[in-house]
Amino acid sequence: PLPRPDVHDSMLPLLVLGASAAWAPAHSAARGWRASQPLLSADLPRTPKAMVDQLRDAVQSALSSRCSRMRVSLPPGFDYGIESQRKGTPVSSKIDRSDRELARLFVEMFQGTGLVPTVCFPSSAAAADARKLWGNIEARVVALDPESAGTAAPAKQPRPRSKAQRASSGGGGFGAAKPASGARVQKAVAAVPASAEVVLVVAPGGPGCEAVRSFCEENGADRLVVLLNARSLEEEADPAVAAAAGVGTAGEEEREYVDGEFANVYAFVTDPAGKSEDAPAVLFKRSAAEEWSLVSKPKVGPPRELLASDERPSAEAMRAALDASAAGGLLGAISSALGG
């Protein structure tokens, strides 16, 4: 089994889940979607650590099934508690930090396996931040940015050192100290490195998804490719979130390719249909073999599962289910809370 990632136990509970002892089924008004059976509260994570444990188990299960194309979707800006207390954390958006922390968790999964993951960030700045924080972790960090690849200004050459400086540092040649091992970063690239065996693609935009598709088509299923928070591919993607991450939104062709080739092995998507003003909602999928569940937390009573489907519900279907649930009003919520 893969080693457990190092996750802090003191992280805050997931706000949207609340404390619930039971789950009540609800009927869907959206055509083509069926009402599900009651969902046990143990199926959903109550803390970030529990969510990461579920994620690790889902990845292990997918690998055991020889799945080499995976997709993971977690909340934008979510705090995994990895960088919060570290000094020298780069000033970056919450979304950038959250995506970087998720990538770090995946890199940790492969430590000690002999495999060095190639981590593809959507920009040179994001890759540089990861390199600065990750230190000696074994990973290859690249900026998968086809639109700017090759346009970056050349790095400044260091000034030649004096003879005294060379002597004090031990000189060069045989026996000289080697550069520290760890995460290696390159300038922006237009394609996923052909030698990569494990590829973690962080928040790819449209051009990045095209590069991933080329890599997958040129290499067989023996290469593992994991898309982490590919929000630009989601039908209900928030343009503001995509803009904050600097990736834009992907086109229909990229979305159809990923939907057809990549298995959704784990998803915990908050506010998936933009209806949070009434009740927080989560789109949840615990493993590749399990169903999608749309869960809402009303103002009164326990969370309720509104939809369950083998396929990811469309934004229209989720909005219809949430509207139908809201139409029940306070009396409906009380009835559900009492088991009615």
Side-chain angles (χ1 to χ4, degrees):
L2 296 175
R4 289 175 177 266
D6 180 17
V7 183
H8 295 266
D9 292 329
S10 59
M11 294 182 286
L12 295 175
L14 297 175
L15 176 63
V16 72
L17 293 181
S20 169
W23 291 78
H27 294 284
S28 170
R31 183 179 181 181
W33 303 99
R34 57 182 175 76
S36 66
Q37 297 297 318
L39 188 66
L40 297 177
S41 60
D43 288 343
L44 286 105
R46 294 181 179 276
T47 65
K49 183 181 183 301
M51 183 168 66
V52 172
D53 285 343
Q54 286 188 353
L55 171 61
R56 185 198 65 251
D57 292 342
V59 172
Q60 181 65 56
S61 176
L63 289 173
S64 298
S65 301
R66 304 189 66 80
C67 175
S68 62
R69 303 288 185 265
M70 304 184 193
R71 182 177 176 184
V72 171
S73 303
L74 293 174
F78 190 78
D79 185 1
Y80 298 90
I82 296 176
E83 299 179 7
S84 301
Q85 304 301 322
R86 293 188 178 185
K87 295 181 179 179
T89 301
V91 178
S92 57
S93 71
K94 292 182 179 180
I95 295 175
D96 291 340
R97 173 196 48 75
S98 180
D99 290 344
R100 186 171 57 247
E101 287 185 327
L102 178 59
R104 173 63 184 266
L105 290 172
F106 265 82
V107 170
E108 290 285 353
M109 290 183 186
F110 291 93
Q111 297 299 287
T113 64
L115 297 171
V116 178
T118 295
V119 188
C120 301
F121 285 92
S123 69
S124 297
D129 285 347
R131 173 65 179 86
K132 179 179 180 181
L133 284 166
W134 290 0
N136 291 332
I137 194 170
E138 286 297 323
R140 182 183 185 185
V141 177
V142 301
L144 183 59
D145 188 1
E147 293 184 337
S148 64
T151 62
K156 294 182 179 180
Q157 297 299 320
R159 294 181 179 179
R161 295 186 299 170
S162 67
K163 184 176 181 180
Q165 288 175 323
R166 292 195 299 270
S168 63
S169 63
F174 182 75
K178 296 181 179 179
S181 61
R184 301 180 296 277
V185 67
Q186 299 177 343
K187 65 179 182 180
V189 297
V192 177
S195 60
E197 295 180 309
V198 176
V199 183
L200 308 176
V201 188
V202 183
C209 290
E210 292 179 10
V212 169
R213 177 175 183 174
S214 297
F215 176 83
C216 293
E217 292 178 343
E218 293 169 3
N219 299 277
D222 59 332
R223 309 289 184 91
L224 174 61
V225 182
V226 184
L227 300 181
L228 302 177
N229 288 340
R231 289 178 289 268
S232 66
L233 293 167
E234 296 173 3
E235 178 188 3
E236 66 280 2
D238 185 345
V241 171
V247 298
T249 55
E252 187 65 27
E253 184 176 351
E254 291 84 7
R255 183 179 296 119
E256 290 180 356
Y257 173 77
V258 171
D259 288 344
E261 298 294 328
F262 283 76
N264 288 282
V265 299
Y266 192 83
F268 192 99
V269 182
T270 55
D271 194 19
K275 303 287 289 186
S276 60
E277 66 277 5
D278 298 322
V282 169
L283 184 62
F284 179 66
K285 194 175 197 294
R286 183 165 180 172
S287 71
E290 296 190 22
E291 292 182 318
W292 290 91
S293 296
L294 177 65
V295 181
S296 175
K297 176 64 174 74
K299 295 179 180 179
V300 178
R304 303 165 59 197
E305 185 181 49
L306 307 182
L307 286 179
S309 173
D310 291 333
E311 297 182 355
R312 177 173 176 139
S314 66
E316 180 181 1
M318 288 189 287
R319 283 191 289 268
L322 289 166
D323 287 342
S325 176
L330 180 62
L331 293 180
I334 295 175
S335 176
S336 294
L338 297 177

